[in-house]
Amino acid sequence: MEPISIAMIADFFHPDVGGVEGHIYMLSANLIRMGHKVIVITHSRPPDRVGIRWLLPGLKVYYLPFVTIASGATLPNFFTFLPYLRTILIREHVHLIHAHASLSSLGHEGILHSHLMGVRTVFTDHSLFGFEDAASILTNKLLAGTLRNVDAVICVSHTGRENTVLRGELFEQSEDDPPRLVVSSNVYVIPNALVSKRFQPGLLQKSDTITIVVLSRLAYRKGIDLLVATAPRICAAFPNIRFLVGGDGPKLIDLLQMREKYLLQDRIELLGPIKHNDVRSVLIRGSIFMNTSLTESFGIAILEAACAGLYVVSTRVGGVPEILPEDMISFADPNEDDVFRAVSEAISLVSAGKHDPIKAHERVKRFYDWAQVAERTERVYHTVMKSEQRDLWDRITRTMRLGRYAGPIYTIILLVDCLFFLFLEWWMPREDMDFVTHHWNHRRFASATRGL
């Protein structure tokens, strides 16, 4: 297969830490090892991370001078990004862009602009969203407009696929008589993965004390209210239980108040923010991993905990039931009583020695591998590159079907975008650009660093 020049686009990337950031980096690194060219386009980070940076193994990152508004995301503006994107895609000879995350403005705008340069588009959705509150309604309509003309959509779980299909209105008319709506054929499911070598189980140590580990952003959607409600009950029912809580967020104050109220300072340890390199060292201090999320598309933290040998207790939400076999995880409904029941079962199981951390690690190691994820993503890329590209009239027609109000608004944005692109073609001609002609030589780098 011919190598593809790929641009990953997202608001979320290194040095920020998170599931989307890790996914983009690991997928890019493995695609580079497979012979493809990959760059990343994201926004700048304070105080001085702006411009071009290089990350191993030869990943080129463009940090553009855009300011974030909330949670690391930039303000949607539709047109400011086009001059930067046009210059980068043309200079780097990019064939395909891969945008990530529903809340990434850069990703949405990259999909809008790329067709002007004949660049193909892929989008990966990493999260679940609702349909009732105002924020979800606006986000879902923006997503539907973006995905109206995207070439392929990847979801990290089957539950995430159902959610994205509904939010993005990814339906087609079947050829049946009478015709019916079916899910678009360009929607794929490719799960997350992890580097199993980084999550080796710790040495087995006999102890009467059982430690429950919680690693999460301390926010409402992560179910921290459930943790606040159940932790005192668990500590009262099991004198040999300790909690180890890592993470930061607006719900930290609730945990501190609960610990103070029930005098559990010696039973519940709050670690604060945890660097990703330190996650394993925290996990191996425990025997049980507890996840109380109210919504979760995949749950990479659950996978990392299971790989480190911990038994998992989790709420049965989103794509969590797809992650692990039933003998490696106990599920609970997202309510206080059922979470207490599931944790009690896990404590009994671990106390009886019925969970083998080494076997759990070996099983997870076989289930999830970034090389397999990269191979499956590569197949999606090649399918997209071989498919017929939509012309402008087809894009306008599809965009007008978004609705009575959204359709005309998005169509106007699409047409203005075309006019702005034509102006840039005149104002900054391609022949005046400095094209990238030399790329990272992986063989020379490997030979130069051998033995270091």
Side-chain angles (χ1 to χ4, degrees):
M1 294 183 180
E2 288 291 323
I4 303 174
S5 181
I6 305 154
M8 301 285 178
I9 303 180
D11 282 313
F12 315 105
F13 193 63
H14 178 84
D16 299 336
V17 177
V20 177
E21 292 86 343
H23 180 101
I24 295 173
Y25 175 77
M26 291 306 303
L27 177 59
S28 301
N30 280 272
L31 288 170
I32 289 172
R33 293 188 181 103
M34 295 168 68
H36 301 288
K37 175 189 172 182
V38 184
I39 64 171
V40 175
I41 304 173
T42 186
H43 62 75
S44 59
R45 266 71 176 174
D48 58 355
R49 189 175 287 265
V50 62
I52 297 175
R53 299 288 190 276
W54 288 89
L55 303 178
L56 290 174
L59 179 60
K60 190 178 187 179
V61 185
Y62 285 86
Y63 290 97
L64 304 183
F66 290 116
V67 180
T68 59
I69 53 171
S71 302
T74 55
L75 179 70
N77 52 56
F78 293 104
F79 302 118
T80 308
F81 185 39
L82 178 56
Y84 292 98
L85 184 69
R86 172 181 173 271
T87 301
I88 294 171
L89 297 189
I90 294 175
R91 288 186 72 246
E92 295 282 354
H93 310 286
V94 171
H95 305 132
L96 178 146
I97 69 145
H98 189 163
H100 294 260
S102 297
L103 295 179
S104 172
S105 301
L106 292 182
H108 287 281
E109 293 167 32
I111 293 174
L112 169 68
H113 302 318
S114 294
H115 76 95
L116 298 167
M117 291 155 279
V119 176
R120 311 310 299 269
T121 54
V122 176
F123 175 79
T124 293
D125 199 2
H126 294 264
S127 303
L128 302 178
F129 287 88
F131 300 88
E132 297 178 348
D133 58 286
S136 295
I137 292 170
L138 291 172
T139 301
N140 294 344
K141 183 54 70 173
L142 178 63
L143 181 70
T146 299
L147 301 187
R148 182 60 57 173
N149 293 304
V150 76
D151 292 311
V153 177
I154 299 174
C155 304
V156 295
S157 67
H158 290 277
T159 302
R161 177 178 181 267
E162 294 174 6
N163 184 263
T164 303
V165 165
L166 291 173
R167 290 164 47 229
E169 303 174 16
L170 298 172
F171 300 106
E172 297 174 345
Q173 289 258 350
S174 70
E175 298 179 357
D176 301 340
D177 190 20
R180 58 191 178 90
L181 291 177
V182 296
V183 177
S184 300
S185 58
N186 64 342
V187 184
Y188 304 86
V189 176
I190 302 176
N192 268 316
L194 80 169
V195 182
S196 57
K197 293 185 292 185
R198 297 182 184 174
F199 296 95
Q200 297 281 352
L203 297 175
L204 296 177
Q205 297 178 350
K206 291 186 177 180
S207 174
D208 295 332
T209 301
I210 295 177
T211 301
I212 299 176
V213 178
V214 178
L215 291 178
S216 170
R217 174 162 169 74
L218 305 181
Y220 170 77
R221 66 185 295 269
K222 293 298 183 179
I224 302 305
D225 291 333
L226 278 176
L227 176 62
V228 170
T230 54
R233 290 182 59 182
I234 294 168
C235 289
F238 302 95
N240 64 327
I241 291 298
R242 291 181 67 254
F243 278 88
L244 204 59
V245 182
D248 195 9
K251 288 290 182 179
L252 175 61
I253 187 66
D254 294 352
L255 283 171
L256 290 168
Q257 290 175 345
M258 174 270 291
R259 190 174 67 166
E260 190 75 22
K261 178 180 178 180
Y262 292 99
L263 303 177
L264 295 173
Q265 288 87 345
D266 60 333
R267 305 279 299 279
I268 300 177
E269 184 179 353
L270 301 178
L271 302 175
I274 304 296
K275 295 180 180 179
H276 193 261
N277 289 339
D278 299 329
V279 168
R280 177 189 174 270
S281 62
V282 175
L283 289 173
I284 62 175
R285 292 172 61 184
S287 304
I288 297 172
F289 181 82
M290 185 174 175
N291 172 65
T292 54
S293 290
L294 303 180
T295 175
E296 196 78 71
S297 181
F298 184 83
I300 192 66
I302 293 174
L303 191 58
E304 292 172 348
C307 190
L310 279 70
Y311 187 81
V312 178
V313 176
S314 176
T315 44
R316 190 189 293 272
V317 295
V320 173
E322 304 175 28
I323 300 175
L324 296 171
E326 293 184 357
D327 60 333
M328 296 178 66
I329 185 170
S330 292
F331 289 109
D333 294 330
N335 63 70
E336 178 183 339
D337 292 334
D338 210 39
V339 170
F340 177 79
R341 173 200 58 78
V343 173
S344 301
E345 290 178 0
I347 292 171
S348 300
L349 188 146
V350 171
S351 300
K354 295 181 180 179
H355 179 71
D356 188 337
I358 304 301
K359 288 184 179 179
H361 172 79
E362 292 299 323
R363 293 176 73 183
V364 173
K365 183 179 177 180
R366 293 196 304 271
F367 295 156
Y368 297 97
D369 180 63
W370 275 115
Q372 296 177 10
V373 171
E375 288 175 5
R376 294 171 65 177
T377 306
E378 181 189 45
R379 287 198 288 271
V380 174
Y381 290 165
H382 283 292
T383 300
V384 167
M385 296 301 294
K386 293 175 183 177
S387 65
E388 184 178 355
Q389 194 165 15
R390 297 188 181 98
D391 58 26
L392 179 60
W393 180 250
D394 189 17
R395 291 174 183 276
I396 293 173
T397 304
R398 292 173 62 87
T399 303
M400 284 296 293
R401 296 180 193 149
L402 280 170
R404 179 180 296 180
Y405 302 107
I409 291 172
Y410 274 96
T411 302
I412 291 171
I413 292 172
L414 180 64
L415 293 174
V416 173
D417 193 48
C418 293
L419 294 175
F420 187 30
F421 177 76
L422 292 175
F423 169 75
L424 292 174
E425 288 281 288
W426 168 78
W427 189 43
M428 295 187 294
R430 300 188 182 204
E431 53 267 24
D432 292 345
M433 291 185 183
D434 293 324
F435 294 96
V436 176
T437 56
H438 292 82
H439 305 294
W440 190 279
N441 191 314
H442 300 282
R443 291 182 180 177
R444 288 183 61 186
F445 177 76
S447 62
T449 57
R450 189 175 293 118
L452 295 179

